[in-house]
Amino acid sequence: MSGPVLLPVPDGTTRVYTPRTDVPSSVPSVPSVPSVPPVPSVRQEDAPLSSRTVFAAAHVVADPFADSTPDGPAALDWDATLAFRRHLWAQGLGVAEAMDTAQRGMGLDWNGAAELIRRSAAEAKAVGGLLACGAGTDDLTGAEHPLTAVRAAYERQLQTVEESGAQAILMASRALAAAARGPEDYEEVYGHLLRQAARPVILHWLGPMFDPALEGYWGSADLDAATETFLRVIAAHPGKVDGVKVSLLDAGREVALRRRLPEGVRCYTGDDFHYPELIEGDEEGFSHALLGVFDPLAPLAADAVRRLDTEDRTAFRAALDPTVPLARHLFRAPTRYYKTGVVLLAWLAGHQDHFTMVGGLQSARSLPHLARAYELADAVGLFPDPGLAASRMRSLLALQGVPQ
């Protein structure tokens, strides 16, 4: 069915939206789902980007036929999950695995994350793709744990990541936030991990807008004080920190932190609101990227950064700035539910054949929110097949009682 789509709006009414029919050249076609394409090598024209290191934090594809429950172990469609990672590598992007975008701590437990890390590492080796994986403490369950247990959990997960051959991302820990009594506890735990890491790691500072349990991370709710602790950890372990991922949604604070990092330590922006200006940078430096929003935006993001590779800043901003309204919509408060919009767009774009999420999280956003996400994504030419996206959106809306 072609033609307009009737979209619901928050006031309880509907309005007509006419989908676009053209597809930008930067958006590649998607192999049919559920068939899985053969494992490709990264093509020369899609080799890793040269001016910036860019990771997309990738979502996981749930198995819609599994007899699972929201509080049970995650059941994944491994073929579709790994095919999506090959899609990201084919754009020239790196994959940040088993992160917040993969519903880590929101449906994906450590056992599932460990299997995901091992499988993705094997795929990365097969295609020559860049991969970094999250190591945290989410194998700890139940009541508050002592610092020794927190440190041991980090060690187990760090070992799993390093044994897979991937670079480690030391994720922010709910257990550490609960157990730490001040900055010195963070310095002790992270110092211990950095001393034993086999290769330089990425440190991840995830703000409470993404996870309320991380309030006061680095030992203080005062972000200035927390920043000083963060910088002390990095400075005390030269050569052990490849970079830092900053997810505070505060561009000014990220720039100020970026300018204070020791030489050789990269800043990977995790700011899904201000990424074009942060990646472009200024006369004093720039940010690399490790972004959840680059999961749905992968083709557009890669095309934009390639323009930056040729030092065409104007073309870079012209390509990436129009995507910001979509990003801000997906990550609007409560920000932690942005994954729902990410998976919706993957389904609409043809990367998976259903809109089912681990833990039933497809219900975490309202129908008007999802409708607006579709409209904004279609407006920037995100969908390889606009007709397919419109058809799937109509089916979702009709199922929810919006006549088409």
Side-chain angles (χ1 to χ4, degrees):
M1 177 181 175
S2 60
V5 181
L6 198 61
L7 298 180
V9 292
D11 67 4
T13 62
T14 58
R15 61 185 180 80
V16 174
Y17 174 71
T18 301
R20 65 186 296 163
T21 57
D22 61 310
V23 181
S25 59
S26 60
V27 179
S29 60
V30 176
S32 60
V33 176
S35 64
V36 179
V39 178
S41 296
V42 176
R43 297 172 296 175
Q44 183 62 41
E45 62 270 25
D46 292 329
L49 310 171
S50 60
S51 63
R52 306 288 188 271
T53 300
V54 180
F55 290 94
H59 75 281
V60 293
V61 183
D63 179 356
F65 299 107
D67 186 13
S68 56
T69 61
D71 56 354
L76 300 187
D77 179 337
W78 287 110
D79 288 342
T81 293
L82 296 174
F84 187 77
R85 279 128 183 88
R86 294 197 293 272
H87 155 71
L88 296 175
W89 283 315
Q91 311 308 311
L93 304 181
V95 170
E97 188 56 277
M99 300 293 291
D100 183 62
T101 308
Q103 294 182 241
R104 189 82 178 265
M106 292 185 70
L108 184 69
D109 63 12
W110 168 240
N111 288 333
E115 181 68 12
L116 180 62
I117 288 167
R118 288 188 283 265
R119 289 182 182 239
S120 291
E123 292 290 325
K125 292 172 186 175
V127 305
L130 182 64
L131 179 70
C133 300
T137 63
D138 50 334
D139 53 336
L140 298 176
T141 58
E144 183 175 321
H145 301 272
L147 285 175
T148 52
V150 173
R151 190 174 73 183
Y154 261 130
E155 290 173 335
R156 289 191 295 270
Q157 296 200 15
L158 177 61
Q159 181 179 9
T160 296
V161 172
E162 292 191 330
E163 287 179 347
S164 79
Q167 182 180 21
I169 303 169
L170 293 184
M171 303 173 66
S173 162
R174 293 175 181 172
L176 180 55
R181 295 297 174 258
E184 63 281 355
D185 288 340
Y186 287 88
E187 294 180 61
E188 190 280 327
V189 170
Y190 277 95
H192 180 85
L193 296 169
L194 291 172
R195 284 190 294 272
Q196 67 178 278
R199 59 183 285 197
V201 307
I202 298 172
L203 295 183
H204 187 190
W205 186 353
L206 189 68
M209 67 288 294
F210 289 93
D211 187 342
L214 300 176
E215 183 70 44
Y217 212 73
W218 301 109
S220 178
D222 181 334
L223 291 180
D224 290 335
T227 297
E228 296 305 318
T229 304
F230 189 52
L231 288 169
R232 282 198 304 274
V233 168
I234 298 166
H237 302 279
K240 297 297 249 178
V241 179
D242 163 67
V244 299
K245 170 175 159 55
V246 186
S247 300
L248 299 176
L249 303 183
D250 184 332
R253 184 168 292 278
E254 178 175 321
V255 170
L257 173 64
R258 184 175 76 196
R259 291 174 178 169
R260 296 182 62 191
L261 290 174
E263 184 176 357
V265 177
R266 307 180 194 193
C267 181
Y268 293 94
T269 186
D271 189 328
D272 302 278
F273 285 1
H274 308 99
Y275 51 93
E277 66 198 71
L278 291 166
I279 296 171
E280 179 187 12
D282 54 30
E283 65 281 356
E284 296 186 45
F286 56 82
S287 294
H288 300 272
L290 199 164
L291 288 162
V293 77
F294 279 5
D295 173 304
L297 294 182
L300 302 182
D303 178 67
V305 176
R306 286 194 172 86
R307 297 168 192 253
L308 199 57
D309 290 347
T310 65
E311 300 185 358
D312 191 341
R313 292 172 175 264
T314 300
F316 165 76
R317 294 298 295 267
L320 207 54
D321 282 355
T323 67
V324 171
L326 171 61
R328 293 192 174 196
H329 179 73
L330 294 176
F331 284 78
R332 65 185 294 185
T335 301
R336 62 189 180 277
Y337 295 122
Y338 74 87
K339 297 93 164 172
T340 303
V342 166
V343 175
L344 171 79
L345 297 182
W347 173 56
L348 296 179
H351 293 295
Q352 56 192 78
D353 59 2
H354 59 83
F355 179 42
T356 302
M357 295 179 67
V358 171
L361 207 63
Q362 68 271 13
S363 65
R365 290 292 201 185
S366 70
L367 199 60
H369 178 93
L370 299 178
R372 181 61 176 158
Y374 159 70
E375 181 180 13
L376 290 169
D378 184 65
V380 297
L382 187 63
F383 301 125
D385 184 342
L388 174 67
S391 176
R392 288 184 168 184
M393 194 67 209
R394 288 190 194 94
S395 69
L396 175 64
L397 293 170
L399 181 64
Q400 300 299 322
V402 182
Q404 298 295 308

